[in-house]
Each structure stands twice: as structure tokens, then as C-alpha cells.
Amino acid sequence: MSVATEVPTFLPRDRFDDLLQALAAGGRRVVGPTVADGAIVFADLERAADLPAGLTLATAPGRARLEPLPAGPGARRTFQYTVSGEGIKKFTFPSRVDALSMTTDLAGTVRVKVEAPAEPVPLAVVGARACDLAALAVHDRVLIGGPAVDPDYAARRSDLLVVAVECALASSTCFCATMGTGPEVTTGADLVLAELDDGFVVRAPSAAGGRIVESLGLAPAAPERVGKAAAQTAAARVAMGTDAIPANARDLLLANLEHPRWEAIAERCIACANCTLVCPTCFCTGQTVTSGFDGVTSTAARTWDSCFTDGFTQVAGGNFRPRHQDRYRQWMTHKFATWFDQFGTSGCIGCGRCVAWCPVGIDVRAELTAFAATAPAVAAVPLRDRGTLQPLAPPAPDALDFRRATVVSITPETADTSPLRLVTDDPAILAGTPGQFVMVGVPAFAIPPISISRYHPDGIELTIRAAGAATSFLTRLRPGATLGLRGPLGRGWPVETAHGRDVVIVAGGIGLAPLRPVIDAVLRDRAKFADVRIYLGARTPRERLFVDEIEALAAREDVLVRVTVDRAGPEWLGRVGIVTQLFKTVRGTGTDATAFICGPERMMAATATTLGDLGVPPEHMWLTLERHMECGVGLCGHCQFGSRFVCRDGPVFSAAELGDDLRREGL
Amino acid sequence: MDVAVRASAAAATAEDAGHGRATARRRPRVGVVKFASCDGCQLTILDVEDHLLEIAERFDIVEFAEATSRRSSGPFDVLLVEGSISTPEQAVEIARLRAEAKLLVVIGACATAGGIQALRTAAEHEAFRAAVYPVPAYVDSLATARPVADFVQVDAELRGCPISPEQLVELLVSLTTGRRPQLPDQAVCLECKRRGIPCVVVARGLPCLGPVTRTGCGAICPAFGRGCYGCFGPRENANTAGYAQALVTGDAAAGADGRGRDPVDVGRLFAGFTGATQPFRSVTDSLAGRPPVTLRPTLASPPETLRAGPPTWGPAPSAPEAPSAAAAKEAPDGPRQ
């Protein structure tokens, strides 16, 4: 540590250019606040003259207007505002990153190339505030804290020099003091500036910062300057207060997920997504696939996405959050409640950007306070027990890499569903467990998650229903074609927890596909399980899957198989009705049973209710959720279901783990 | 009405994307026609300079009066239709063209939303005619100018005034590769934020339709310090009532005095190139104190030209054809496959 770290020094205003030059030494890119488009915009900072001198940013809900500083000795200050609309996120987590490219050669061989992470560009950021640094720490936890790591963020983060500025005032939208993140800069900075009328008090908390101070040959700051700097930050703290939001915000939100206030907010909320995109901790991304006219090359770019958009939770069968109130509830509960469960910290750092840059001026502080006013006494909601939700197989560090697999055969099962038999020599995929899934990449198409419907010694089967363009294409592949697989991903069915117990398998429609490896595993070790019963539902007789296999199972003495269809024609002599009606004709499943359920969400909820009535304990009922997924490893944010990432914590959950959320609308 | 291209809009087989590529395939026959419109979208087609050769190589452009004297009255594999339906003759002609087209794509604000001429929908048609034309009897126009989808089944739409060249190329590429074109339906705001354009509502107090307008333009107007005027039409689930209310109360885009805007002015903001769409029109009507109007009545009967399957140039797929996007939407939530 350099001696400069101990003693505050003074940088006269006319020497700020020297600081910029010192930062730029060795080719480092220097960025900081500038004025552009009527706002403060972080951009390349070549001269001190580029800084927003003599300006402040007057913020209020829905407002952030540049205004001249009042005349006086401080009229030429350059950091006399708090946060701009965009923080430093656009440098560490850019709005668009090329993620991968895919090509197919004339022989039909797919090559998937995961784009190398950005070259670590040495970067110096001038003018980050305490809240920005708190946000950076949150992103570190989310994006490189594991289990999966975002390589692009890791590269950009690896050589970052931070020159922080301690706020000399608080805007009306600031609440960092409530969130415990500011206004004092305590961690994460290499240099900390506190601006006075004639210059800057400089602290150098890191060795790198100390070397810069040394190179500038700065003199120690006079005690009165140090005192004045501390006093203005202390005044900013007082101005903000420390009670901007209720202390029990998390409990309030989780206890009021069905509160009428959500609907009232949705009448004002225009779901423009601005709050999420200015938020320095929001990390959700989507993939945009572009391809050439040849159809054999394509690029997938990762772009900022938002839980306020319709496509965010869209799957082929529908949308999980169709209403604005569902989306607002997701955003607010994620920031103030479920983030704690996911990452052990708040998702809000109190910068107030979402307040100022909401075009219609919705103020999260006011909304949280309103919840407190209408539901004053709520019990503390314990943090989700992460112990039961740890993935069985955490994603490997190279979880974003694709492996090649070759199509051996494809045999249509129904009008729209075909099992795809693939061979691969990838040991990780071959070692997958029942209920895990893979992301399937072919050029020009989005990359869908597909569950593995059988394991073979030399490969796997994927049962594909042509529900969208990508899956339609997959069902038309021919033997010999190759595709890219990323996986196996997720936490599968805990088949071994059913050892010594009765096994009840309930599948609706194509829900049989993810359960097929469970059936395989149970039959392989048949002696380890007591009664085995399989209940299958399909919409029509024609839509039944794996008919021959199921008939062979039904012929066995040691397995009970029951099949029903929703609608039947004259050729069908079996049962007609929904799958839950099958249990009523079968005696006593009960407390000694473990159930594995897969089908449409409503069917699974109904099945869980019926089985619960028959005595099956919720911790022994397992079901698998479908959600929109872009990454499969907990980085893109799309598949969130309350505090869970379906891709990483599931897709298989017990009914006990899901609790009331299983039947909650719009989650 | 958002019309996505049917799930497998172009009958791409596995071969199409390079899995043992077929050769000597017939190029799809493409027509470009117009109704009541300014031709700006057709000019945008000519404006995709970097891609024109590829397009000409892969598509057989048999009708495009703006570009070639070669003419065809059909049939078409793909028909791009510009303009709204404004006269009785046009209503007959679009039905004929629909029957000739395997895939009908409407392009631009006029064809998708009625265009600026659809403002007459909210006025007295006869009074308009009398005010504009010396001898109104010579003019045979419908009382309303309406989007093509009000008359015939539409398979896909490109929005905007004019359309975006990037989206046009995306559509054509998706036709050749058999994938669904990526035409986002979210708000312009996302594009502003990705581009780093400061919000003109918050930073400048400008009324901007970006929050309720579909992106695709690249946020051109805010990039030049202007409010979006909504030429791409309503985004998905546009809360136009909530946004208009905020503009009136001053919660959004308040002036220096913190006050909101005159309700009639706010209504006019929504009455632009796509002002005849339901989410925009309902705001204009309600702020002007007019009774609400239901636009785009459901078609009385499905057009005869509605076909179940995708177009079938090139080799036929061996596997059964995919269900349409509409059918997929109707299906109950399936589990992950």
C-alpha cells in the first residue's frame, strides 16, 4: 500500500486534466460524465472541459432536467448532481454483446462457435457514485458469483479502475442512505474524489489509486478542506433521511402478492421498461438471432431485455405474465424481496433512477409506503431454504459451450411430435440425470430448451413437438444432420428419494417425455420401489405418445398403467376424462407414495391437489415447470418463478417447495 | 391485430438450411402492389441496397410497378401490399389479390393501420369530400380508409411510416430460411435505452409516444431529440389510457411550471399515422369527449382465400406440416418438451 492511501490529498481544479492523463496512461480508456442530448451521459472523457461544469440535474418522479448552478463560489463545480440516467452498467454490461455464431456446411454439419468474451479493455470510470459501486458489487454477485459465470462481464470487469465521487448533495429521488449504500464511498473505488469549489479532496483506497496520486505528486489536503468535504456528504445523508422505504419491505411484498394495489399501479404503469433498463442492477437479457439469406449462417446477440415486455415470459403455449400488474409485481418483488433469496442481498441500491426516469413518475418509495399503510402488520417471511434448492449438478464453468450431436433417427409419434434420437460422445450429456434438459442450437433459429426423454449408452433422445418455428425445423431434420447441444442443465427428478416407496407417475400429453427417463430408471431398479403406477392423459387417442411402449408396460405384472383421453372418437374403447379422475378409481395412493408429475401447469396443480387429498405428502410430489429460457444457467433472468430460477433451481420442484406459488396467477 | 407469420411461413425443409441443400429450386414469385399510400414503403424496398442483388437472386419479382415494367396479375408466392383500402374498387381488388397470393404481407402504416388518410374515419366523410373536391360526385371513396386486414386475411405485417429496411430484410430472410421473423412488439423505449438515448420525456419534457409505440424504427425520432409520433402503431398491451392521463395531469412530460397538457392536444398526439388503431383512437375520442368507437370489426366470415398450410414452393417437406401459429396459441400450456 502506498502512503498516499492514508492521507487525503488535494487536487486543484486546474489540475484535473493531469488526473485524466494519469488515468489514460498505458492506453486505458477513460469515461465519465459529459453533457449530451440535454442530459448527463457517460462517454469518453478526454479533457476536464468535457465534464458538466456549472450544471445540476433537478430530479423528481418522471423528471430529470439539467439546470444551471446558482451563482456563487460553487457555480463551476463539475459533479454537482447525483446520478445520471445511465450508470456505468453500459460499460461493464453492454446493451448488446455477440454471444455465438452458428453455421451449417453443405454436409449438414452444424458448427456452433461461442464468441470469445470481450478483450479485457482497460477502463477507467470517473464519476461513479457510492450507489453505482454498490450496484457493481450486486452485478459481481449475479454475473460472476456462480454457479454460472458470464464470461463477457468477467472480461470487462477484470481491469476496471474506478474514480468515485462522493456526493455533495442529494436529489429528491435519492435514497441510498436508506438502502445502506451511500452517500459515503466505502468500498469498490480506487480513488475517491470529494469536490470543493476550488478542487478535489482525493482519497486512494487501493494501491492502484495510490500510485496515481503519487504520480501526480499531490500535496496533503488541508484539514479544513477534508472537514468541509465530509460535512457536505454528511449533509446529503441528512437531506435524504434513512426511512424512504419501510424496513420490512420484503415481508410486506411477499405477504401481499394478491393485494389490490398491484392492479391500481398497473393502471398508471405503461410497462415501458424504462425502470428496468436504467436500473444498475437489472441483468436480464434476451437473444436476438439474425441470419443471412443463405440460411446457413447466423449470429445470436445478447441484448438487454426487460420483464415488462410481453415476449419475456412467452412460450409456445402462452404467456405466463400477460398483465401489466403481473410484470410490475415481478419487478418490484424481485428488487426488494426475492433478490435476497437468490443472491443474499437487495436488488435495489437506492439510486432512484427508476423514480426519476419513469416517464409517468411512479415512485417505488411511495408504492412501498402505500403497501405498508394498507397492510401494516405482516409476519417475517423466512428466506427460501436454499439447501433444498441447490441444483443436483451445478452448471460447469463451460456451461455456455455447445457440443455437437448427430441425428440417428427421427420417427414421428403423432401429427406434430417426433422423438429425435441423437448420438454424442460428450460425457457430460451422457451422464445427465432424468429430468434434465439441453439447449438445442441450429443455425438461424432461437435456441429452445428441450428435456431429455431417454438416455442411451451413446446418446440421448429428445421428443420434439412442433410448437414454434425452431421446433418445427427440428422435427424436419434428417438422419445425419447435426445440431449443437448445451447441457445437461437443471435439477432433475430425485428418483432415489422414492426408494422403498410407492411410485406414482402422472403425465399429461407431451409431459410423458420428461418422465420417460423416470420410468426407465424405476424399471431398471424395479426391486427398490414398492407399487409402481403410471397414469397418462392425452387430448385425443391420436395424441398419445409412445403407444407401443406404454402397451408393453401395461402388460407387465409389476406396473399398473391407466390411460385416459379428453376427447375420443368411436375407435377409442378406453377411458374418457381428465387424468385426475383416474385416481378416484384407484384405491389408496397415500402417504407412502412419491409422485412424479408433468403436464400443463393447471393439470399439475389439479393433480397435486387430488394426490394431496389422498395423503401424498407435498415434499414427495415432484413436478417440472416450463418457462421461457434463453440461457439455461440462471443468467438471462427469463425463467424466474418467485424466488426461483426454473432453469437452475428446477425445472423439477416439489409441491412443498412451490407452495402457494404453484396456483398463483401471473407469476 | 398482430399477425405473426404462420409458424412455418415458408415451407422450409431441413434441406433449406443447408442440411443437404436441394438445387435448382423454383424461386418464389414476389409481387409488390399498392393501394391508398405514398409509395414510401415501396421506395424502402429499393433502399435496401446492400441486399438487392441477393433478393433478386432468391426471389422472382414479377410485379413491382415502382421498379419494373414487368407486370403480373398473379399468382404470387409472396405479395407485399402497401396502402390502405380507401375506395370500393380497392376493396374488390384486394380480395382478388388475396386469392392469388399464397402469403400476403402488408407493409407500412397505411396497410397495417389505415395511415394518415384514416383520420377521416373520425370525421364527416361527405363534408370532407365537399370541402376538398369541386365535384365530389366524381370521387368514389369509402367513408373510411381501413387497413388491409379489415378486408382479407393477412399473413404478416411490417409496420412503420415508412417500413424499416432492416425489418424488410429480416422478413425476406425468414421466408427463405423458414423461421419466424424477429419483429419485436415491445416499446420504443427499449431501443432508446439500448442505444443510450436519454429519455426525451424525462430530460426534456417532450410528449413522446415511444412508451406505447412498437419498436422497430431504431428510435430515430428520440435520437434526434424529438418525441416519437407513433408511426409503428401500438405496442403489445399498450396502456394508452394510462399514458394519456399522465400527460394530462403532468405526471409525464410536465412543462417547467409542472403543469400537464390540454386534453385535446394530448388526443391529437395520438391521432397520427396510426391514429385509427383502437388503442390510439380510443384515447383521442375519450379526450375529445366523443363516444368510443369500436374499430376493426371482426370479419363477417372467414375470407375464402384463407388457407391452412404454408406456401409450397421448393421441395415439399416430408414430415407433416407444422400447425399454424394460431393453432399453437390455442393449445393449452404444454410442458417443456
Side-chain angles (χ1 to χ4, degrees):
Chain A
M1 291 275 266
S2 159
V3 64
T5 60
E6 309 294 334
V7 183
T9 53
F10 183 70
L11 176 73
R13 183 171 298 286
D14 59 8
R15 288 202 61 200
F16 200 89
D17 279 322
D18 296 344
L19 170 64
L20 294 181
Q21 278 175 20
L23 293 171
R28 187 179 290 275
R29 183 184 177 199
V30 182
V31 297
T34 66
V35 178
D37 304 329
I40 290 170
V41 172
F42 271 64
D44 287 290
L45 197 59
E46 288 169 17
R47 296 172 299 274
D50 296 336
L51 292 167
L55 291 171
T56 192
L57 197 60
T59 66
R63 271 179 91 89
R65 311 271 169 88
L66 278 180
E67 290 179 0
L69 285 171
R76 295 306 294 166
R77 285 199 183 200
T78 49
F79 293 97
Q80 198 65 3
Y81 42 82
T82 53
V83 290
S84 62
E86 42 178 27
I88 58 179
K89 171 165 126 176
K90 70 174 180 182
F91 301 107
T92 52
F93 191 68
S95 62
R96 182 189 169 97
V97 171
D98 283 341
L100 50 91
S101 59
M102 288 188 270
T103 56
T104 313
D105 64 19
L106 290 175
T109 304
V110 168
R111 280 173 225 285
V112 183
K113 178 171 160 281
V114 177
E115 295 294 339
E119 285 288 314
V121 181
L123 182 74
V125 178
V126 177
R129 307 302 173 116
C131 55
D132 291 323
L133 297 179
L136 201 59
V138 171
H139 259 192
D140 287 352
R141 171 67 192 85
V142 173
L143 297 169
I144 53 179
V149 167
D150 173 0
D152 187 79
Y153 180 83
R156 291 173 196 274
R157 189 73 180 85
S158 63
D159 192 358
L160 180 68
L161 199 65
V162 176
V163 181
V165 169
E166 216 151 53
C167 289
L169 78 169
S171 301
S172 72
T173 47
C174 291
F175 59 109
C176 63
T178 299
M179 303 311 294
T181 59
E184 303 83 6
V185 177
T186 50
T187 58
D190 297 290
L191 288 173
V192 183
L193 310 183
E195 187 176 29
L196 300 174
D197 292 344
D198 56 350
F200 302 85
V201 174
V202 182
R203 287 189 289 125
S206 81
R211 283 191 293 275
I212 289 170
V213 166
E214 259 178 5
S215 75
L216 292 171
L218 300 181
E224 53 270 29
R225 282 204 166 102
V226 177
K228 200 172 175 187
Q232 65 189 17
T233 302
R237 166 177 284 277
V238 171
M240 270 184 282
T242 53
D243 56 353
I245 67 165
N248 64 341
R250 178 174 175 276
D251 301 330
L252 267 176
L253 293 174
L254 294 181
N256 289 288
L257 293 175
E258 307 299 336
H259 197 284
R261 180 136 198 115
W262 296 116
E263 208 176 327
I265 299 172
E267 284 178 15
R268 288 185 293 143
C269 173
I270 50 177
C272 63
N274 282 348
C275 49
T276 54
L277 297 169
V278 296
C279 178
T281 68
C282 270
F283 59 89
C284 289
T285 56
Q287 279 199 349
T288 310
V289 178
T290 48
S291 60
F293 277 100
D294 56 8
V296 300
T297 59
S298 69
T299 305
R302 187 194 79 183
T303 55
W304 286 352
D305 207 340
S306 169
C307 52
F308 278 97
T309 66
D310 197 56
F312 194 77
T313 45
Q314 186 79 39
V315 295
N319 195 330
F320 292 104
R321 290 188 209 122
R323 303 169 302 176
H324 284 198
Q325 69 188 80
D326 304 330
R327 304 178 195 175
Y328 193 89
R329 184 179 69 181
Q330 166 62 25
W331 138 256
M332 195 185 235
T333 54
H334 190 210
K335 286 291 152 191
F336 293 95
T338 54
W339 208 292
F340 286 100
D341 302 77
Q342 294 171 347
F343 303 110
T345 171
S346 169
C348 173
I349 45 81
C351 68
R353 286 188 177 91
C354 61
V355 181
W357 295 86
C358 172
V360 296
I362 295 175
D363 186 338
V364 285
R365 300 168 300 180
E367 295 307 324
L368 287 167
T369 306
F371 273 108
T374 51
V378 291
V381 181
L383 282 181
R384 189 190 63 192
D385 179 5
R386 292 192 58 79
T388 63
L389 284 176
Q390 282 306 318
L392 294 183
D398 61 353
L400 295 172
D401 280 351
F402 281 80
R403 312 282 181 221
R404 201 178 305 161
T406 306
V407 178
V408 183
S409 64
I410 176 160
T411 330
E413 273 282 330
T414 71
D416 64 357
T417 305
S418 303
L420 213 56
R421 170 89 165 81
L422 303 170
V423 292
T424 176
D425 54 7
D426 181 57
I429 290 173
L430 296 174
T433 58
Q436 287 197 295
F437 64 96
V438 287
M439 307 297 288
V440 182
V442 286
F445 290 93
I447 299 166
I450 309 275
S451 78
I452 296 166
S453 63
R454 176 156 287 167
Y455 289 94
H456 294 278
D458 62 345
I460 56 172
E461 275 178 46
L462 305 175
T463 301
I464 315 266
R465 188 178 64 180
T471 46
S472 297
F473 181 83
L474 290 173
T475 59
R476 291 195 300 266
L477 288 174
R478 306 285 164 81
T482 68
L483 37 73
L485 297 182
R486 186 154 65 71
L489 301 168
R491 186 182 70 154
W493 306 99
V495 179
E496 64 292 339
T497 63
H499 285 174
R501 300 173 60 85
D502 294 341
V503 174
V504 179
I505 292 170
V506 187
I510 195 167
L512 179 56
L515 283 169
R516 206 151 146 249
V518 176
I519 298 174
D520 290 347
V522 167
L523 295 182
R524 202 159 45 236
D525 284 325
R526 180 64 189 86
K528 288 186 179 165
F529 303 90
D531 233 20
V532 175
R533 301 166 188 203
I534 301 173
Y535 303 106
L536 305 176
R539 264 181 289 178
T540 64
R542 279 164 192 268
E543 287 170 84
R544 286 174 301 149
L545 287 177
F546 310 119
V547 173
D548 295 344
E549 270 179 53
I550 296 303
E551 280 176 5
L553 277 179
R556 289 174 65 131
E557 296 273 303
D558 57 351
V559 179
L560 179 133
V561 178
R562 291 282 182 270
V563 181
T564 183
V565 298
D566 295 346
R567 297 188 306 277
E571 80 287 3
W572 177 251
L573 300 175
R575 290 170 190 77
V576 178
I578 58 173
V579 73
T580 47
Q581 289 170 335
L582 291 176
F583 317 131
K584 295 182 180 154
T585 67
V586 178
R587 201 163 44 81
T589 22
T591 52
D592 294 331
T594 296
F596 301 101
I597 311 163
C598 184
E601 213 153 295
R602 251 173 272 167
M603 165 268 179
M604 291 196 290
T607 302
T609 302
T610 307
L611 289 175
D613 291 344
L614 293 169
V616 181
E619 60 273 19
H620 285 290
M621 280 192 261
W622 299 91
L623 36 90
T624 181
L625 296 180
E626 178 195 27
R627 282 296 180 275
H628 185 122
M629 291 179 192
E630 303 254 328
C631 77
V633 294
L635 290 173
C636 79
H638 284 256
C639 69
Q640 288 180 71
F641 183 71
S643 59
R644 311 155 193 91
F645 289 97
V646 169
C647 68
R648 192 184 83 189
D649 301 325
V652 173
F653 296 93
S654 74
E657 286 169 340
L658 296 178
D660 294 340
D661 287 351
L662 178 57
R663 292 166 186 86
R664 202 180 299 286
E665 202 181 336
L667 201 64
Chain B
M1 181 172 63
D2 290 341
V3 187
V5 163
R6 293 187 193 143
S8 58
T13 65
E15 282 86 349
D16 293 343
H19 293 258
R21 293 164 62 76
T23 51
R25 295 170 53 211
R26 183 173 70 78
R27 288 181 302 161
R29 289 166 56 88
V30 175
V32 183
V33 297
K34 69 156 278 175
F35 291 98
S37 57
C38 76
D39 292 26
C41 294
Q42 295 182 73
L43 290 175
T44 303
I45 299 175
L46 296 173
D47 198 27
V48 293
E49 293 160 1
D50 293 348
H51 299 284
L52 279 178
L53 288 178
E54 271 185 306
I55 292 171
E57 188 183 308
R58 286 169 196 281
F59 295 94
D60 187 15
I61 298 170
V62 296
E63 163 77 10
F64 188 3
E66 187 82 32
T68 170
S69 50
R70 186 183 173 195
R71 303 303 301 266
S72 166
S73 55
F76 307 102
D77 291 306
V78 182
L79 185 66
L80 304 179
V81 180
E82 181 196 79
S84 58
I85 304 303
S86 187
T87 70
E89 293 81 17
Q90 289 175 342
V92 172
E93 177 65 359
I94 189 62
R96 184 193 74 77
L97 286 168
R98 172 71 270 193
E100 294 291 333
K102 288 177 178 163
L103 198 71
L104 190 148
V105 181
V106 287
I107 61 171
C110 299
T112 59
I116 200 73
Q117 59 274 27
L119 290 180
R120 77 168 184 252
T121 315
E124 282 295 322
H125 176 232
E126 288 306 322
F128 251 51
R129 286 210 304 181
V132 175
Y133 297 101
V135 188
Y138 290 161
V139 180
D140 193 11
S141 60
L142 296 170
T144 60
R146 283 156 66 189
V148 172
D150 280 7
F151 294 83
V152 296
Q153 178 77 22
V154 162
D155 298 306
E157 61 178 21
L158 293 179
R159 297 207 190 171
C161 182
I163 57 169
S164 134
E166 291 79 17
Q167 290 203 337
L168 174 73
V169 170
E170 168 66 13
L171 180 92
L172 295 175
V173 166
S174 73
L175 290 176
T176 63
T177 54
R179 67 179 165 87
R180 193 188 303 250
Q182 298 208 353
L183 306 171
D185 60 2
Q186 53 198 212
V188 175
C189 299
L190 284 101
E191 209 52 47
C192 270
K193 290 291 177 289
R194 291 182 188 129
R195 287 189 60 185
I197 301 165
C199 178
V200 297
V201 179
V202 171
R204 300 177 190 241
L206 295 177
C208 171
L209 289 183
V212 290
T213 299
R214 183 189 279 216
T215 188
C217 58
I220 299 173
C221 293
F224 288 95
R226 296 187 46 171
C228 163
Y229 57 88
C231 76
F232 269 65
R235 53 167 284 200
E236 45 87 13
N237 285 311
N239 181 6
T240 47
Y243 188 47
Q245 183 66 25
L247 289 167
V248 170
T249 60
D251 284 343
D257 57 0
R259 292 173 55 176
R261 282 158 203 282
D262 182 272
V264 174
D265 287 345
V266 173
R268 286 183 183 139
L269 181 66
F270 286 84
F273 295 85
T274 58
T277 55
Q278 189 77 60
F280 286 5
R281 174 67 186 277
S282 62
V283 165
T284 311
D285 284 343
S286 100
L287 292 179
R290 287 196 297 262
V293 176
T294 302
L295 298 171
R296 290 206 181 181
T298 313
L299 293 170
S301 60
E304 289 172 17
T305 48
L306 176 62
R307 294 147 305 104
T312 50
W313 64 80
S318 62
E321 283 170 3
S324 70
K329 283 223 161 188
E330 282 159 19
D333 293 358
R336 180 184 319 98
Q337 302 176 21

